[in-house]
Amino acid sequence: MPASDPSAAAAAADAASDEAVPPHAPPPPPPRPLSLASALPFWFYLAAAVSLLAILLPRISPSSSSPARLPPLLREHLASGSVLKLDPTPGLFAVTSRPAGGSPAHRVLILPGLAAGSFSFRHVLSALSSRGILAVALDLPGQGLSPSPPAAAAPPARASALREIMDRGIFHAFEHLVQTGEVPYQEEPAAPPAPSPHAPAESADAVARAVEALGVGPVHLVIHDSSLAAGIAFASANPGAVRSVTLVDATASLPAFPAAVFDVPVLGRLVLRVPALFRGLVRLCCARGMGAEESEAHRAAMRGEGRTHGVIEGWKAMNHSFQLGEWRGSSEEVRRLPMMVLWSGTWSDMWIDEGKKVAAALPDAKFVYHSGGRWPQVSMICDR
Protein backbone atom coordinates (compact mmCIF):
# COMPACT_ATOMS: atom_id res chain seq x y z
CA MET A 1 0.00 0.00 0.00
CA PRO A 2 1.58 3.34 -1.02
CA ALA A 3 2.43 5.87 1.69
CA SER A 4 0.19 8.90 1.88
CA ASP A 5 1.57 12.20 0.68
CA PRO A 6 0.66 15.24 2.87
CA SER A 7 0.93 17.65 -0.02
CA ALA A 8 -1.35 15.49 -2.12
CA ALA A 9 -3.93 15.44 0.72
CA ALA A 10 -3.84 19.23 0.99
CA ALA A 11 -4.28 19.58 -2.74
CA ALA A 12 -7.25 17.24 -2.64
CA ALA A 13 -8.85 19.29 0.17
CA ASP A 14 -8.43 22.49 -1.82
CA ALA A 15 -10.00 20.86 -4.85
CA ALA A 16 -12.97 19.69 -2.78
CA SER A 17 -13.51 23.19 -1.38
CA ASP A 18 -13.38 24.65 -4.88
CA GLU A 19 -16.08 22.25 -5.95
CA ALA A 20 -18.24 23.07 -2.88
CA VAL A 21 -18.09 26.86 -3.46
CA PRO A 22 -18.38 27.96 -7.09
CA PRO A 23 -15.74 30.48 -8.09
CA HIS A 24 -18.35 33.02 -9.22
CA ALA A 25 -20.91 32.61 -6.39
CA PRO A 26 -22.91 35.88 -5.77
CA PRO A 27 -22.23 37.70 -2.43
CA PRO A 28 -24.82 37.33 0.33
CA PRO A 29 -27.55 39.98 0.21
CA PRO A 30 -27.10 42.95 2.62
CA PRO A 31 -29.30 42.99 5.72
CA ARG A 32 -32.56 44.83 5.22
CA PRO A 33 -33.21 47.91 7.39
CA LEU A 34 -35.77 47.47 10.11
CA SER A 35 -39.21 48.51 8.99
CA LEU A 36 -41.87 50.22 11.10
CA ALA A 37 -43.82 46.98 11.20
CA SER A 38 -40.88 45.08 12.68
CA ALA A 39 -40.44 47.74 15.43
CA LEU A 40 -44.10 47.68 16.46
CA PRO A 41 -43.79 44.56 18.67
CA PHE A 42 -41.06 46.23 20.74
CA TRP A 43 -43.13 49.35 21.41
CA PHE A 44 -46.21 47.21 22.08
CA TYR A 45 -44.45 45.14 24.75
CA LEU A 46 -42.84 48.26 26.26
CA ALA A 47 -46.20 50.00 26.56
CA ALA A 48 -47.76 46.84 27.98
CA ALA A 49 -45.00 46.52 30.59
CA VAL A 50 -45.36 50.13 31.70
CA SER A 51 -49.15 49.83 31.90
CA LEU A 52 -48.91 46.61 33.90
CA LEU A 53 -46.45 48.25 36.26
CA ALA A 54 -48.78 51.21 36.75
CA ILE A 55 -51.67 48.83 37.59
CA LEU A 56 -49.76 46.55 39.93
CA LEU A 57 -47.73 49.21 41.68
CA PRO A 58 -50.46 50.37 44.10
CA ARG A 59 -51.06 46.73 45.10
CA ILE A 60 -47.48 45.66 45.73
CA SER A 61 -46.14 48.77 47.45
CA PRO A 62 -46.97 49.90 50.97
CA SER A 63 -48.83 53.14 51.55
CA SER A 64 -47.71 55.66 54.13
CA SER A 65 -49.78 58.71 53.18
CA SER A 66 -52.00 58.46 56.24
CA PRO A 67 -51.05 60.95 58.97
CA ALA A 68 -51.34 58.15 61.57
CA ARG A 69 -48.52 56.27 59.84
CA LEU A 70 -46.04 59.11 59.49
CA PRO A 71 -42.44 58.12 60.26
CA PRO A 72 -41.39 59.00 63.83
CA LEU A 73 -38.90 61.67 62.71
CA LEU A 74 -41.49 63.52 60.65
CA ARG A 75 -44.18 63.10 63.31
CA GLU A 76 -41.86 64.64 65.89
CA HIS A 77 -41.05 67.55 63.61
CA LEU A 78 -44.73 68.12 62.85
CA ALA A 79 -45.45 68.34 66.58
CA SER A 80 -42.67 70.90 67.08
CA GLY A 81 -44.24 73.46 64.72
CA SER A 82 -47.61 74.74 63.61
CA VAL A 83 -49.43 76.03 60.55
CA LEU A 84 -49.83 79.80 60.65
CA LYS A 85 -53.33 80.87 59.64
CA LEU A 86 -52.57 83.83 57.42
CA ASP A 87 -55.00 86.22 55.81
CA PRO A 88 -55.17 85.99 52.91
CA THR A 89 -54.25 82.37 52.48
CA PRO A 90 -52.16 80.27 52.08
CA GLY A 91 -51.11 79.21 55.55
CA LEU A 92 -47.47 78.33 56.16
CA PHE A 93 -45.90 75.72 58.43
CA ALA A 94 -43.32 77.25 60.76
CA VAL A 95 -40.98 75.83 63.38
CA THR A 96 -39.51 78.21 65.97
CA SER A 97 -36.58 77.23 68.16
CA ARG A 98 -36.10 79.68 71.04
CA PRO A 99 -33.03 79.98 73.26
CA ALA A 100 -33.25 78.75 76.83
CA GLY A 101 -33.43 82.09 78.58
CA GLY A 102 -33.38 85.81 78.01
CA SER A 103 -34.27 87.87 74.99
CA PRO A 104 -32.34 86.77 71.88
CA ALA A 105 -30.01 89.32 70.36
CA HIS A 106 -30.37 87.82 66.88
CA ARG A 107 -33.21 86.22 64.94
CA VAL A 108 -32.68 83.93 61.96
CA LEU A 109 -35.29 83.09 59.33
CA ILE A 110 -34.59 80.06 57.10
CA LEU A 111 -36.37 79.48 53.78
CA PRO A 112 -35.74 75.89 52.57
CA GLY A 113 -35.61 74.92 48.91
CA LEU A 114 -37.77 72.53 46.90
CA ALA A 115 -38.74 69.39 48.86
CA ALA A 116 -36.13 70.06 51.55
CA GLY A 117 -38.59 71.64 53.94
CA SER A 118 -38.10 72.85 57.48
CA PHE A 119 -37.65 69.21 58.47
CA SER A 120 -34.19 69.16 56.88
CA PHE A 121 -33.13 72.16 59.02
CA ARG A 122 -34.26 70.78 62.39
CA HIS A 123 -30.67 70.22 63.61
CA VAL A 124 -29.66 73.69 62.44
CA LEU A 125 -32.54 75.21 64.43
CA SER A 126 -31.51 73.48 67.66
CA ALA A 127 -27.83 74.38 67.10
CA LEU A 128 -28.71 78.06 66.68
CA SER A 129 -30.99 78.20 69.70
CA SER A 130 -28.25 76.60 71.84
CA ARG A 131 -26.14 79.64 70.96
CA GLY A 132 -28.79 82.08 72.15
CA ILE A 133 -30.26 82.74 68.69
CA LEU A 134 -33.96 82.57 67.93
CA ALA A 135 -34.32 80.51 64.76
CA VAL A 136 -37.36 80.02 62.52
CA ALA A 137 -37.71 77.69 59.53
CA LEU A 138 -40.63 78.48 57.25
CA ASP A 139 -42.01 76.20 54.55
CA LEU A 140 -43.02 78.12 51.43
CA PRO A 141 -46.56 77.70 50.00
CA GLY A 142 -47.18 74.07 49.07
CA GLN A 143 -43.69 73.01 50.22
CA GLY A 144 -42.60 70.90 53.17
CA LEU A 145 -45.50 70.68 55.60
CA SER A 146 -47.30 73.83 54.46
CA PRO A 147 -50.81 73.17 53.15
CA SER A 148 -51.46 73.41 49.45
CA PRO A 149 -52.67 76.85 48.35
CA PRO A 150 -56.25 76.98 47.06
CA ALA A 151 -56.53 76.57 43.33
CA ALA A 152 -57.20 79.73 41.35
CA ALA A 153 -60.82 80.14 40.24
CA ALA A 154 -61.44 79.45 36.59
CA PRO A 155 -62.52 82.49 34.54
CA PRO A 156 -66.25 82.64 33.75
CA ALA A 157 -67.23 81.05 30.47
CA ARG A 158 -68.05 83.48 27.66
CA ALA A 159 -70.16 82.79 24.62
CA SER A 160 -68.20 83.08 21.40
CA ALA A 161 -69.16 85.59 18.68
CA LEU A 162 -69.66 82.80 16.15
CA ARG A 163 -72.06 80.98 18.47
CA GLU A 164 -74.15 84.14 19.01
CA ILE A 165 -74.35 84.81 15.27
CA MET A 166 -75.47 81.22 14.66
CA ASP A 167 -78.08 81.48 17.40
CA ARG A 168 -79.50 84.91 16.54
CA GLY A 169 -78.93 84.95 12.79
CA ILE A 170 -76.56 86.78 10.49
CA PHE A 171 -79.25 89.26 9.40
CA HIS A 172 -79.68 90.39 12.99
CA ALA A 173 -75.95 91.06 13.13
CA PHE A 174 -76.07 93.04 9.85
CA GLU A 175 -79.03 95.10 11.07
CA HIS A 176 -77.16 95.88 14.30
CA LEU A 177 -74.16 97.06 12.29
CA VAL A 178 -76.28 99.35 10.06
CA GLN A 179 -78.15 100.92 12.98
CA THR A 180 -75.30 101.45 15.42
CA GLY A 181 -72.17 101.36 13.30
CA GLU A 182 -70.64 98.87 15.73
CA VAL A 183 -69.55 95.33 15.05
CA PRO A 184 -71.83 93.08 17.11
CA TYR A 185 -70.79 90.23 19.33
CA GLN A 186 -67.20 91.38 19.76
CA GLU A 187 -65.39 89.11 22.18
CA GLU A 188 -63.86 90.87 25.14
CA PRO A 189 -60.14 90.31 25.62
CA ALA A 190 -59.44 87.47 27.99
CA ALA A 191 -58.48 88.53 31.51
CA PRO A 192 -54.85 87.81 32.43
CA PRO A 193 -54.48 84.62 34.47
CA ALA A 194 -54.19 84.97 38.22
CA PRO A 195 -50.60 84.75 39.48
CA SER A 196 -49.57 81.38 40.83
CA PRO A 197 -49.39 81.21 44.66
CA HIS A 198 -46.06 79.43 44.14
CA ALA A 199 -44.55 82.36 42.21
CA PRO A 200 -41.71 84.23 43.94
CA ALA A 201 -43.66 87.47 44.54
CA GLU A 202 -46.66 85.67 46.02
CA SER A 203 -44.44 83.45 48.17
CA ALA A 204 -42.60 86.57 49.40
CA ASP A 205 -45.90 88.16 50.43
CA ALA A 206 -46.78 85.04 52.41
CA VAL A 207 -43.36 85.11 54.11
CA ALA A 208 -43.87 88.76 55.07
CA ARG A 209 -47.24 87.97 56.66
CA ALA A 210 -45.71 85.01 58.51
CA VAL A 211 -42.85 87.13 59.91
CA GLU A 212 -45.37 89.69 61.11
CA ALA A 213 -47.56 86.99 62.68
CA LEU A 214 -44.58 85.44 64.47
CA GLY A 215 -43.23 88.81 65.59
CA VAL A 216 -39.62 87.83 64.89
CA GLY A 217 -38.43 90.70 62.70
CA PRO A 218 -35.92 92.00 61.86
CA VAL A 219 -34.21 88.77 60.84
CA HIS A 220 -30.98 87.44 59.39
CA LEU A 221 -32.36 85.78 56.26
CA VAL A 222 -31.01 82.37 55.19
CA ILE A 223 -32.03 81.37 51.65
CA HIS A 224 -31.51 77.78 50.56
CA ASP A 225 -31.50 76.39 47.03
CA SER A 226 -34.59 77.23 44.96
CA SER A 227 -36.07 79.67 47.49
CA LEU A 228 -33.64 82.29 46.14
CA ALA A 229 -36.14 84.35 44.13
CA ALA A 230 -38.81 84.29 46.86
CA GLY A 231 -36.32 85.21 49.59
CA ILE A 232 -34.79 88.02 47.55
CA ALA A 233 -38.27 89.36 46.73
CA PHE A 234 -39.07 89.38 50.45
CA ALA A 235 -35.84 91.25 51.25
CA SER A 236 -36.49 93.80 48.49
CA ALA A 237 -40.06 94.50 49.57
CA ASN A 238 -39.24 94.57 53.30
CA PRO A 239 -35.76 96.07 53.68
CA GLY A 240 -36.42 97.07 57.28
CA ALA A 241 -37.24 93.48 58.22
CA VAL A 242 -33.90 92.03 57.03
CA ARG A 243 -30.50 92.55 58.69
CA SER A 244 -28.40 90.30 56.45
CA VAL A 245 -28.74 87.69 53.71
CA THR A 246 -26.99 84.32 53.56
CA LEU A 247 -27.27 82.16 50.45
CA VAL A 248 -26.81 78.40 50.91
CA ASP A 249 -26.24 76.77 47.50
CA ALA A 250 -29.01 79.03 46.27
CA THR A 251 -30.00 79.21 42.63
CA ALA A 252 -32.89 80.58 40.61
CA SER A 253 -32.89 77.94 37.89
CA LEU A 254 -31.06 74.77 39.03
CA PRO A 255 -32.86 73.26 42.04
CA ALA A 256 -31.16 70.31 43.68
CA PHE A 257 -34.34 68.25 43.93
CA PRO A 258 -35.32 66.80 40.51
CA ALA A 259 -38.95 67.91 40.49
CA ALA A 260 -39.24 67.13 36.78
CA VAL A 261 -39.13 63.40 37.58
CA PHE A 262 -42.39 63.68 39.51
CA ASP A 263 -44.13 65.45 36.65
CA VAL A 264 -43.94 62.17 34.67
CA PRO A 265 -47.09 60.26 35.76
CA VAL A 266 -45.92 56.64 35.96
CA LEU A 267 -42.29 57.40 36.83
CA GLY A 268 -43.21 59.90 39.53
CA ARG A 269 -45.60 57.48 41.27
CA LEU A 270 -43.03 54.71 41.03
CA VAL A 271 -40.28 56.77 42.71
CA LEU A 272 -42.65 57.94 45.46
CA ARG A 273 -43.94 54.44 46.22
CA VAL A 274 -40.62 52.60 46.32
CA PRO A 275 -38.46 53.82 49.24
CA ALA A 276 -35.19 52.60 47.72
CA LEU A 277 -35.80 54.53 44.49
CA PHE A 278 -36.66 57.74 46.34
CA ARG A 279 -33.62 57.44 48.61
CA GLY A 280 -31.35 56.78 45.63
CA LEU A 281 -32.69 59.82 43.79
CA VAL A 282 -32.21 62.15 46.78
CA ARG A 283 -28.73 60.83 47.47
CA LEU A 284 -27.81 61.29 43.82
CA CYS A 285 -29.11 64.87 43.55
CA CYS A 286 -29.23 66.44 47.03
CA ALA A 287 -27.26 64.78 49.84
CA ARG A 288 -25.07 61.72 49.30
CA GLY A 289 -25.01 60.73 52.95
CA MET A 290 -28.77 60.71 53.58
CA GLY A 291 -29.82 57.67 55.60
CA ALA A 292 -32.86 55.48 55.12
CA GLU A 293 -34.77 56.88 58.12
CA GLU A 294 -34.38 60.51 57.05
CA SER A 295 -35.13 59.68 53.43
CA GLU A 296 -38.35 57.96 54.49
CA ALA A 297 -39.43 61.09 56.36
CA HIS A 298 -38.86 63.23 53.25
CA ARG A 299 -40.75 60.71 51.13
CA ALA A 300 -43.70 60.72 53.55
CA ALA A 301 -43.78 64.53 53.53
CA MET A 302 -44.00 64.54 49.73
CA ARG A 303 -46.77 61.96 49.75
CA GLY A 304 -49.02 64.23 51.82
CA GLU A 305 -52.12 65.66 50.19
CA GLY A 306 -51.15 67.98 47.36
CA ARG A 307 -47.46 68.08 48.33
CA THR A 308 -46.10 66.52 45.14
CA HIS A 309 -48.22 68.93 43.13
CA GLY A 310 -46.83 71.80 45.21
CA VAL A 311 -43.24 70.76 44.49
CA ILE A 312 -43.95 70.51 40.76
CA GLU A 313 -45.75 73.86 40.68
CA GLY A 314 -42.98 75.49 42.70
CA TRP A 315 -40.45 74.19 40.18
CA LYS A 316 -42.51 75.49 37.24
CA ALA A 317 -42.93 78.91 38.87
CA MET A 318 -39.20 79.48 39.37
CA ASN A 319 -37.89 82.76 37.97
CA HIS A 320 -35.20 81.47 35.61
CA SER A 321 -34.31 84.97 34.41
CA PHE A 322 -33.46 86.31 37.87
CA GLN A 323 -30.06 88.04 38.04
CA LEU A 324 -28.34 88.40 41.41
CA GLY A 325 -26.06 91.21 40.23
CA GLU A 326 -28.97 93.35 39.06
CA TRP A 327 -30.79 92.78 42.35
CA ARG A 328 -27.73 93.71 44.41
CA GLY A 329 -27.54 97.12 42.75
CA SER A 330 -31.28 97.75 42.62
CA SER A 331 -31.50 100.04 45.66
CA GLU A 332 -29.42 101.60 48.41
CA GLU A 333 -31.17 99.47 51.06
CA VAL A 334 -30.22 96.27 49.20
CA ARG A 335 -26.62 97.40 48.67
CA ARG A 336 -26.21 98.00 52.40
CA LEU A 337 -27.28 94.47 53.35
CA PRO A 338 -24.35 92.30 54.52
CA MET A 339 -24.19 89.14 52.42
CA MET A 340 -22.58 85.73 52.73
CA VAL A 341 -22.56 82.81 50.28
CA LEU A 342 -22.07 79.20 51.45
CA TRP A 343 -21.36 76.88 48.52
CA SER A 344 -20.50 73.22 48.10
CA GLY A 345 -16.91 72.81 46.97
CA THR A 346 -17.10 69.04 46.63
CA TRP A 347 -20.37 68.31 44.82
CA SER A 348 -19.32 68.59 41.17
CA ASP A 349 -17.19 70.71 38.86
CA MET A 350 -20.33 72.10 37.23
CA TRP A 351 -21.70 73.20 40.61
CA ILE A 352 -18.39 74.80 41.57
CA ASP A 353 -18.52 76.77 38.31
CA GLU A 354 -22.05 77.87 39.22
CA GLY A 355 -20.72 79.10 42.55
CA LYS A 356 -18.06 81.14 40.76
CA LYS A 357 -20.81 82.88 38.78
CA VAL A 358 -22.58 83.75 42.02
CA ALA A 359 -19.32 85.09 43.49
CA ALA A 360 -18.78 87.22 40.39
CA ALA A 361 -22.32 88.63 40.65
CA LEU A 362 -21.80 89.46 44.35
CA PRO A 363 -18.18 90.65 44.58
CA ASP A 364 -18.74 92.31 47.97
CA ALA A 365 -20.25 89.20 49.59
CA LYS A 366 -18.24 86.86 51.78
CA PHE A 367 -17.86 83.56 49.89
CA VAL A 368 -17.19 80.32 51.80
CA TYR A 369 -16.94 76.79 50.42
CA HIS A 370 -18.28 73.90 52.51
CA SER A 371 -17.71 70.17 52.17
CA GLY A 372 -21.34 69.04 52.17
CA GLY A 373 -23.78 68.42 49.36
CA ARG A 374 -26.42 70.68 47.91
CA TRP A 375 -28.46 70.03 51.04
CA PRO A 376 -25.60 70.73 53.49
CA GLN A 377 -28.05 70.90 56.40
CA VAL A 378 -28.51 67.14 55.89
CA SER A 379 -25.08 65.98 54.74
CA MET A 380 -23.09 67.86 57.38
CA ILE A 381 -23.17 67.35 61.16
CA CYS A 382 -23.96 70.56 63.00
CA ASP A 383 -21.69 71.54 65.87
CA ARG A 384 -23.63 71.66 69.07
Side-chain angles (χ1 to χ4, degrees), residues 33 117 190 267:
L267 181 60

Side-chain angles (χ1 to χ4, degrees), residues 217-219 234-243 333 337:
V219 298
F234 166 72
S236 298
N238 306 274
V242 179
R243 288 185 173 178
E333 291 85 356
L337 284 174

Side-chain angles (χ1 to χ4, degrees), residues 86-121:
L86 305 177
D87 185 25
T89 56
L92 300 183
F93 181 81
V95 177
T96 303
S97 183
R98 299 181 180 275
S103 178
H106 299 285
R107 298 171 173 85
V108 172
L109 174 65
I110 301 173
L111 301 180
L114 275 179
S118 56
F119 170 76
S120 68
F121 281 92

Side-chain angles (χ1 to χ4, degrees), residues 125-354:
L125 295 177
S126 61
L128 290 173
S129 62
S130 68
R131 289 168 168 77
I133 299 173
L134 187 150
V136 179
L138 194 64
D139 289 339
L140 294 178
Q143 305 293 318
L145 296 175
S146 289
S148 299
R158 296 181 294 109
S160 67
L162 178 60
R163 173 57 60 185
E164 289 198 27
I165 291 175
M166 292 177 63
D167 291 342
R168 304 180 67 177
I170 190 171
F171 293 105
H172 182 277
F174 181 74
E175 183 181 0
H176 183 279
L177 177 62
V178 171
Q179 293 178 354
T180 65
E182 298 178 355
V183 178
Y185 316 134
Q186 294 187 74
E187 293 189 7
E188 298 179 0
S196 167
H198 304 275
E202 281 62 37
S203 296
D205 289 342
V207 171
R209 294 193 299 270
V211 169
E212 183 179 1
L214 291 169
V216 296
V219 298
H220 297 279
L221 182 63
V222 177
I223 302 174
H224 171 239
D225 192 56
S226 58
S227 64
L228 175 64
I232 292 304
F234 166 72
S236 298
N238 306 274
V242 179
R243 288 185 173 178
S244 69
V245 177
T246 299
L247 307 183
V248 181
D249 293 274
T251 174
S253 58
L254 297 172
F257 190 78
V261 170
F262 298 89
D263 201 26
V264 181
V266 174
L267 181 60
R269 289 198 303 269
L270 176 65
V271 173
L272 270 183
R273 288 185 175 274
V274 180
L277 287 180
F278 184 87
R279 182 170 66 254
L281 187 67
V282 174
R283 294 181 69 172
L284 177 67
C285 300
C286 306
R288 296 190 180 102
M290 180 176 288
E293 189 177 13
E294 182 141 4
S295 170
E296 183 61 18
H298 282 282
R299 188 177 75 94
M302 270 203 67
R303 296 187 68 189
E305 183 178 358
R307 302 278 165 65
T308 304
H309 175 75
V311 169
I312 294 172
E313 291 303 312
W315 163 62
K316 291 180 178 179
M318 289 181 65
N319 183 4
H320 296 274
S321 61
F322 177 78
Q323 297 294 327
L324 266 173
E326 294 179 4
W327 168 79
R328 185 60 165 164
S330 60
S331 68
E332 185 61 31
E333 291 85 356
V334 170
R335 283 193 293 269
R336 284 201 300 261
L337 284 174
M339 290 201 67
M340 175 182 287
V341 179
L342 303 179
W343 206 266
S344 175
T346 60
W347 186 255
S348 68
D349 292 340
M350 185 188 73
W351 192 241
I352 292 175
D353 291 340
E354 189 69 22

